[in-house]
Amino acid sequence: MLPSYVSKMLDVMEDGAPYSTNQIMEMLGLKSKETFRKNYMNPALEIRVVKMTIPDKPNSKNQRYIKQ
């Protein structure tokens, strides 16, 4: 079963559409990047329900995330 934060994030993302961190945070109504990374993005990446568009440059300003 998915953690509730990850599940909430996946609910606002469309399949196959690339999203920036800011876009996802806005859709979730979040302000803190630190909270977003810790509770939403990092767990989602760990369990591979979200993938990076530029995996070899995780901190790139052009980084986008795609729901698997």
Side-chain angles (χ1 to χ4, degrees), residues 22-62:
N22 289 339
Q23 286 172 312
I24 301 169
M25 285 177 62
E26 198 174 297
M27 291 187 300
L28 290 166
L30 299 173
K31 300 272 183 253
S32 166
K33 266 198 173 143
E34 193 179 317
T35 299
F36 172 71
R37 275 200 198 99
K38 188 178 82 166
N39 294 331
Y40 294 82
M41 191 52 74
N42 288 347
L45 289 168
E46 277 174 31
I47 57 178
R48 298 193 171 157
V49 291
V50 171
K51 71 175 180 181
M52 293 182 188
T53 55
I54 317 169
D56 51 334
K57 292 184 181 169
N59 299 322
S60 168
K61 68 181 174 61
N62 298 317

